[in-house]
Coordinates of all heavy atoms in Angstrom, one line a residue:
D262 N 10.8 22.6 37.4 CA 10.0 21.6 38.0 C 9.3 20.7 36.9 O 9.3 19.5 37.0 CB 8.9 22.2 38.9 CG 8.0 21.1 39.6 OD1 8.6 20.3 40.3 OD2 6.8 21.2 39.5
L263 N 8.9 21.4 35.8 CA 8.3 20.7 34.7 C 9.4 19.8 34.0 O 9.1 18.6 33.7 CB 7.8 21.6 33.6 CG 6.3 22.2 33.8 CD1 6.0 23.2 32.8 CD2 5.3 21.1 33.9
S264 N 10.5 20.3 33.8 CA 11.6 19.5 33.2 C 11.9 18.3 34.0 O 12.0 17.2 33.4 CB 12.9 20.3 33.1 OG 12.9 21.3 32.1
K265 N 12.0 18.4 35.4 CA 12.3 17.2 36.1 C 11.2 16.2 36.1 O 11.4 15.0 36.0 CB 12.6 17.6 37.6 CG 13.9 18.5 37.7 CD 14.0 19.0 39.1 CE 15.3 19.8 39.3 NZ 15.5 20.3 40.6
K266 N 9.9 16.6 36.1 CA 8.8 15.7 36.0 C 8.9 15.0 34.7 O 8.6 13.8 34.6 CB 7.5 16.5 36.0 CG 7.2 17.0 37.5 CD 5.9 17.7 37.5 CE 5.5 18.2 38.9 NZ 4.3 18.9 39.0
H267 N 9.2 15.7 33.5 CA 9.1 15.0 32.2 C 10.4 14.1 32.1 O 10.3 13.0 31.6 CB 9.2 16.1 31.1 CG 7.9 16.8 31.0 ND1 7.9 18.1 30.6 CD2 6.6 16.4 31.3 CE1 6.6 18.6 30.6 NE2 5.9 17.6 31.1
L268 N 11.5 14.5 32.7 CA 12.7 13.6 32.6 C 12.5 12.4 33.4 O 12.9 11.2 33.0 CB 13.9 14.4 33.1 CG 14.5 15.5 32.3 CD1 15.4 16.4 33.0 CD2 15.1 15.0 31.0
R269 N 11.7 12.5 34.5 CA 11.4 11.3 35.3 C 10.5 10.4 34.5 O 10.6 9.2 34.5 CB 10.7 11.8 36.6 CG 10.6 10.6 37.6 CD 10.0 11.1 38.9 NE 10.9 12.0 39.6 CZ 10.8 13.3 39.8 NH1 9.7 13.9 39.3 NH2 11.7 13.9 40.4
Q270 N 9.5 11.0 33.9 CA 8.6 10.2 33.1 C 9.3 9.4 32.0 O 8.9 8.3 31.6 CB 7.5 11.0 32.5 CG 6.4 11.5 33.5 CD 5.4 12.3 32.8 OE1 5.6 13.1 31.9 NE2 4.2 12.2 33.3
A271 N 10.3 10.1 31.4 CA 11.1 9.6 30.3 C 12.2 8.6 30.8 O 13.1 8.2 29.9 CB 11.6 10.6 29.4
D272 N 12.4 8.4 32.1 CA 13.4 7.7 32.7 C 14.8 8.3 32.3 O 15.8 7.5 32.0 CB 13.3 6.2 32.2 CG 14.1 5.3 33.2 OD1 14.3 5.7 34.4 OD2 14.5 4.1 32.7
L273 N 14.9 9.6 32.3 CA 16.2 10.2 32.0 C 16.7 11.1 33.2 O 17.7 11.8 32.9 CB 16.0 11.1 30.7 CG 15.8 10.4 29.4 CD1 15.4 11.5 28.4 CD2 17.1 9.7 29.0
L274 N 16.1 11.1 34.3 CA 16.5 12.0 35.4 C 17.9 11.7 35.9 O 18.6 12.6 36.4 CB 15.5 11.9 36.5 CG 15.5 13.0 37.5 CD1 15.3 14.4 36.8 CD2 14.4 12.9 38.6
D275 N 18.3 10.4 35.7 CA 19.7 10.2 36.2 C 20.8 10.4 35.0 O 22.0 10.1 35.3 CB 19.8 8.7 36.6 CG 19.4 7.7 35.6 OD1 18.7 8.1 34.6 OD2 19.8 6.5 35.7
R276 N 20.3 10.8 33.8 CA 21.2 11.0 32.7 C 21.2 12.4 32.2 O 22.1 12.7 31.4 CB 20.9 10.0 31.6 CG 21.1 8.5 31.9 CD 20.9 7.6 30.8 NE 21.2 6.2 31.2 CZ 22.3 5.6 31.3 NH1 23.5 6.3 31.0 NH2 22.4 4.4 31.7
V277 N 20.3 13.2 32.5 CA 20.2 14.6 32.1 C 20.1 15.5 33.4 O 19.3 15.2 34.2 CB 19.0 14.9 31.2 CG1 18.9 16.4 30.9 CG2 19.1 14.0 29.9
T278 N 21.0 16.4 33.4 CA 21.1 17.3 34.6 C 20.5 18.7 34.3 O 20.7 19.3 33.3 CB 22.6 17.6 35.0 OG1 23.2 16.2 35.2 CG2 22.7 18.3 36.4
V279 N 19.6 19.2 35.3 CA 19.1 20.5 35.1 C 19.3 21.3 36.4 O 19.3 20.7 37.5 CB 17.5 20.5 34.8 CG1 17.3 19.9 33.4 CG2 16.8 19.7 35.9
W280 N 19.4 22.6 36.3 CA 19.5 23.5 37.5 C 19.1 24.9 37.1 O 19.0 25.2 36.0 CB 21.0 23.5 38.0 CG 22.0 24.1 37.0 CD1 22.3 25.5 37.0 CD2 22.8 23.5 36.0 NE1 23.3 25.6 36.0 CE2 23.6 24.5 35.4 CE3 22.9 22.2 35.6 CZ2 24.4 24.2 34.3 CZ3 23.8 21.9 34.6 CH2 24.5 22.9 34.0
Q281 N 18.8 25.6 38.2 CA 18.4 27.0 38.0 C 19.5 27.9 37.7 O 20.6 27.9 38.5 CB 17.6 27.5 39.2 CG 16.9 28.9 39.0 CD 16.0 29.3 40.2 OE1 15.9 28.5 41.1 NE2 15.3 30.4 40.1
A282 N 19.4 28.7 36.7 CA 20.5 29.7 36.4 C 20.0 30.8 35.5 O 19.1 30.5 34.6 CB 21.7 29.0 35.7
D283 N 20.5 32.0 35.7 CA 20.2 33.1 34.8 C 21.1 33.1 33.6 O 22.3 33.0 33.8 CB 20.3 34.4 35.6 CG 19.9 35.6 34.9 OD1 19.9 35.6 33.7 OD2 19.4 36.6 35.6
L284 N 20.5 33.1 32.4 CA 21.3 33.1 31.2 C 22.5 34.1 31.3 O 23.6 33.9 30.8 CB 20.4 33.3 30.0 CG 21.2 33.4 28.7 CD1 21.8 32.1 28.3 CD2 20.1 33.7 27.5
R285 N 22.2 35.3 31.9 CA 23.2 36.4 31.9 C 24.4 36.0 32.7 O 25.5 36.7 32.5 CB 22.5 37.6 32.4 CG 21.5 38.2 31.5 CD 20.6 39.3 32.2 NE 19.8 38.7 33.3 CZ 19.0 39.5 34.0 NH1 18.9 40.8 33.7 NH2 18.4 39.0 35.0
Q286 N 24.3 35.1 33.6 CA 25.4 34.7 34.5 C 25.9 33.3 34.2 O 26.9 32.8 34.7 CB 25.1 34.8 35.9 CG 25.2 36.2 36.5 CD 23.9 37.0 36.3 OE1 22.8 36.4 36.5 NE2 24.0 38.2 35.8
L287 N 25.2 32.5 33.3 CA 25.5 31.1 33.1 C 26.9 31.0 32.5 O 27.3 31.5 31.5 CB 24.5 30.5 32.1 CG 24.7 29.0 31.7 CD1 24.6 28.1 32.9 CD2 23.8 28.6 30.6
T288 N 27.7 30.1 33.2 CA 29.1 29.8 32.7 C 29.3 28.3 33.0 O 29.2 27.9 34.2 CB 30.1 30.6 33.5 OG1 29.9 32.0 33.3 CG2 31.6 30.2 32.9
L289 N 29.6 27.6 32.0 CA 29.8 26.1 32.1 C 31.3 25.8 32.3 O 32.2 26.5 31.8 CB 29.3 25.4 30.9 CG 27.8 25.5 30.5 CD1 27.5 24.7 29.4 CD2 26.9 25.2 31.7
S290 N 31.6 24.7 33.1 CA 33.0 24.3 33.2 C 33.5 23.8 31.9 O 34.8 24.0 31.7 CB 33.1 23.3 34.3 OG 32.3 22.1 34.0
D291 N 32.7 23.2 31.1 CA 33.2 22.7 29.8 C 33.2 24.0 28.9 O 32.2 24.6 28.6 CB 32.3 21.6 29.3 CG 32.8 21.0 28.0 OD1 33.3 21.7 27.1 OD2 32.8 19.7 28.0

Side-chain angles (χ1 to χ4, degrees):
D262 184 53
L263 278 178
S264 285
K265 291 176 182 177
K266 287 179 178 178
H267 293 148
L268 290 168
R269 186 177 294 108
Q270 286 181 324
D272 200 22
L273 287 173
L274 198 55
D275 60 339
R276 296 189 178 274
V277 177
T278 306
V279 294
W280 66 88
Q281 187 173 3
D283 187 330
L284 175 65
R285 294 169 294 182
Q286 281 84 47
L287 178 66
T288 304
L289 301 184
S290 57
D291 190 312

